[in-house]
Amino acid sequence: MKVLIIGSGGREHAIAWKTAQSPLVNRIYCAPGNGGTYFENKCENISLNGIDELLKFAVKNSVDLTIVGPEIPLVEGIVDRFKEKGLKIFGPSREAAMLEGSKSYSKSFMDKYGVKTAWYRDFDNADEARNFLSDCDYPVVIKADGLAAGKGVVICNSFNEAEQTIDDFMIKDIFKGSGKRVIVEEFLEGVEASILSITDGKTIIPFLSAKDHKAIYEGNKGPNTGGMGVIAPNPYVTDEVLRSFNRDIMLPTLRGIQGEQMDYKGIIFFGIMITAKGVYLLEYNVRMGDPETQAVLPLMESDFIELILAALEDKLDSYNIKWKKAHSCCVVAASKGYPGKYETGFNITGIKDANNKIFIAGGKNNKDKLMTSGGRVLAATALGKTLEEAINNSYRDIERVEFNGIYFRRDIGEI
Ligand code: AMP
Ligand code: GLY
C-alpha cells in the first residue's frame, strides 16, 4: 500500500514510524513531513499546500490510504473532498470535525446526549457575556468557540480578568473570528487525562490513557504549551475512572455520533478531568494528540494500519487492540523562549546516540544534518517495565541530545 500522512509535527513522525512497521505498507509520503520523517524507513517528504494540491497528488500517485494528523484540514472538510474522489481517508467528515472545530457545538452535543461535562453558557454578544460574568462565582473558564491553536482557553479568577478576556476575544478579535463567540464554563479542579480512541461510528475503542504535562516549567508552573511531555498509561486512570468514563462519556458520545448520523471513521480524543465529583469531559479532539501520540503508539503492539483499515471497513466491533505490557515516557525538548519567542536554525546533535526513539517535531534536515525549526523541537520516548524505568530511559536519551538553547522539563511523570 501507498500511504499519505498529512502534517509536520512529532505526532506525524510517530505515525510515520509506526506506519513504516506495517508489512501492508511499502511506501509512505509525508506532506510536508519534517527532519524526522525524512530519515524514516519507507518515507519520502513532499511539499504540498492545501487540500487541492493534496487531492491532486493522491489521485495522481494512486495513494491507497491517507491519514490526517492535524485538526485544521479535518475542520476544513478534507475527508469529504477525498471521499468524493473515491479515495480512502482516515478521519471524521467536516460535520463530525465540528466536535473540535466549535466548542459551542461540542458543548451542545454533550448536553443533548448526556455526556458529563462542566456547566456552560455561550455568548456571541460581548455585553451579554459581561453581564453574566459580573454576577457569577470565580474562577470561571472562558473559551473561544473556534480553533485557536491551543491558546483559546483562559482561567479567570476575577471579573477584571474575565472582562479583559472578553475584550481580547470578542472586541479586539485576537483569534481572527474564532473568539467572536465564547463559552463561559465552570472551573473544574482535578487531574487531566488524555484518552485517544478510534471509532468507525458504531464502536469506540479507547487506547491506553496518557498524561500530558502542559505547563512550560517544572511543578506545572508557567504558561501552557502544546505539551512538554507525556507518560502512558496515566496512573490516575484507575479501573473506576475507566468505568465512569465508559458510562458517562464514551457511550453517550457514541449515541450522539449515531444520533446525529455523523460520518466518523477516525480518531476521537477525549480530554477528561478526574475530579472529586467524578470524571468530566473537557473537550473532544478529532485527531491524535501531540505529544500523546508519541508516547501511546510505541506501546501499541497491533499493526496500526490494519487497525485503521478495520475502522474504515466498520469492523472495530471484532477488533482487539494489543498493547505492550509496559510504560512509556516522552520528554519534549523545546527551543529557549518557547512558548514565547524563540530562535531557530541551530544544529541538532546526539540523535544517533539515543538508545530508544527520538521523534522530531520542529526540526528540519539540511541534506543529512538536522537543525531546529520550531518551538517544540523533538521528544525522546522510551519504554520500561515500570514507569520509573521508562522515565529514566527517556531522560538518558534526552541528555545526549544537544542544540543551542535546549530546554526540557526534568519532572515529566513525577507530577
Ligand atoms: P481545552 O482546549 O478545552 O481542553 O482546554 C485547554 C486546557 O484548559 C485543558 O487542558 C485544561 O488544562 C484547561 N481547562 C479547560 N477547561 C477547563 C475547566 N472547565 N476547568 C479547568 N480547567 C480547564
Ligand atoms: N496535547 C494536547 C493536544 O494534542 O491537544
Side-chain angles (χ1 to χ4, degrees):
M1 280 175 73
K2 290 189 210 168
V3 178
L4 170 63
I5 298 173
I6 298 173
S8 63
R11 164 182 53 208
E12 287 76 21
H13 185 187
I15 294 172
W17 166 82
K18 182 72 180 156
T19 300
Q21 290 167 26
S22 170
L24 299 169
V25 176
N26 46 26
R27 195 144 189 201
I28 303 169
Y29 301 110
C30 301
N34 62 30
T37 58
Y38 177 84
F39 292 107
E40 208 56 66
N41 207 3
K42 303 181 189 176
C43 289
E44 183 185 340
N45 285 353
I46 351 228
S47 159
L48 295 168
N49 284 317
I51 296 178
D52 287 339
E53 278 188 33
L54 289 161
L55 191 56
K56 231 163 97 189
F57 177 87
V59 171
K60 194 166 158 223
N61 292 278
S62 315
V63 165
D64 300 295
L65 170 68
T66 299
I67 303 172
V68 189
E71 61 276 18
I72 291 176
L74 293 168
V75 171
E76 285 174 349
I78 190 169
V79 168
D80 311 61
R81 296 278 311 281
F82 270 54
K83 281 190 165 172
E84 275 162 27
K85 288 271 188 254
L87 290 164
K88 217 177 251 180
I89 181 162
F90 179 63
S93 66
R94 181 193 182 115
E95 186 209 352
M98 290 287 283
L99 287 176
E100 176 165 0
S102 164
K103 293 208 187 277
S104 158
Y105 174 76
S106 73
K107 291 295 275 191
S108 67
F109 173 95
M110 293 175 211
D111 267 4
K112 183 168 172 190
Y113 291 98
V115 178
K116 186 161 171 169
T117 190
W119 64 252
Y120 82 106
R121 295 277 304 269
D122 67 345
F123 299 97
D124 56 12
N125 177 300
D127 287 332
E128 284 173 22
R130 268 189 222 104
N131 214 1
F132 177 80
L133 288 161
S134 68
D135 188 28
C136 72
D137 291 336
Y138 284 85
V140 291
V141 185
I142 301 182
K143 301 184 175 186
D145 177 50
L147 295 180
K151 300 196 173 74
V153 175
V154 181
I155 294 165
C156 299
N157 289 302
S158 66
F159 177 59
N160 265 352
E161 282 175 34
E163 220 181 0
Q164 182 64 50
T165 304
I166 293 298
D167 197 48
D168 289 344
F169 284 20
M170 302 185 82
I171 311 292
K172 295 200 185 101
D173 195 16
I174 58 170
F175 298 126
K176 303 199 168 51
S178 282
K180 284 292 208 185
R181 178 185 281 271
V182 300
I183 300 290
V184 176
E185 184 176 285
E186 172 189 9
F187 172 77
L188 296 172
E189 199 157 12
V191 177
E192 285 181 63
S194 305
I195 305 191
L196 280 65
S197 316
I198 186 166
T199 185
D200 56 11
K202 298 191 177 72
T203 303
I204 300 179
I205 312 182
F207 292 175
L208 288 183
S209 60
K211 185 171 189 296
D212 195 1
H213 296 67
K214 289 206 163 91
I216 184 76
Y217 301 129
E218 279 135 31
N220 289 336
K221 304 245 163 54
N224 267 355
T225 67
M228 293 303 293
V230 172
I231 53 166
N234 184 325
Y236 293 91
V237 178
T238 57
D239 287 348
E240 195 189 333
V241 166
L242 272 180
R243 269 194 298 278
S244 309
F245 166 73
N246 273 317
R247 184 187 61 226
D248 299 335
I249 297 172
M250 195 182 86
L251 292 175
T253 298
L254 187 57
R255 280 197 289 279
I257 289 174
Q258 292 171 332
E260 299 299 310
Q261 297 182 327
M262 284 177 179
D263 178 10
Y264 201 150
K265 297 179 198 310
I267 296 293
I268 181 159
F269 160 170
F270 300 88
I272 64 172
M273 185 75 95
I274 304 161
T275 78
K277 300 184 295 177
V279 181
Y280 287 72
L281 181 65
L282 288 182
E283 63 162 352
Y284 295 112
N285 292 313
V286 297
R287 38 87 194 167
M288 296 180 79
D290 196 355
E292 285 90 335
T293 303
Q294 302 175 55
V296 172
L297 280 186
L299 286 169
M300 188 184 279
E301 187 86 59
S302 300
D303 182 327
F304 190 45
I305 297 304
E306 187 187 84
L307 172 64
I308 288 177
L309 293 177
L312 292 174
E313 288 161 12
D314 283 348
K315 288 184 182 154
L316 286 185
D317 57 345
S318 58
Y319 200 95
N320 184 16
I321 305 180
K322 292 201 181 61
W323 296 99
K324 294 186 176 144
K325 292 202 173 27
H327 294 258
S328 112
C329 174
C330 157
V331 180
V332 172
S335 300
K336 184 178 157 203
Y338 173 80
K341 279 206 181 105
Y342 54 82
E343 286 178 52
T344 60
F346 300 116
N347 272 338
I348 306 171
T349 58
I351 305 277
K352 289 199 175 76
D353 302 328
N355 285 329
N356 302 282
K357 191 67 196 169
I358 305 277
F359 291 117
I360 305 295
K364 63 178 184 188
N365 62 295
N366 182 357
K367 299 213 175 82
D368 280 350
K369 287 222 164 99
L370 261 181
M371 30 207 270
T372 65
S373 62
R376 288 186 296 171
V377 175
L378 50 81
T381 293
L383 305 188
K385 276 194 223 70
T386 60
L387 175 59
E388 201 188 351
E389 193 181 306
I391 293 171
N392 288 339
N393 289 342
S394 147
Y395 274 102
R396 205 170 303 130
D397 280 350
I398 204 93
E399 299 278 3
R400 293 180 173 147
V401 175
E402 281 180 35
F403 57 84
N404 193 326
I406 187 171
Y407 168 77
F408 53 89
R409 273 179 62 165
R410 293 185 183 267
D411 65 346
I412 300 303
E414 283 171 25
I415 193 160

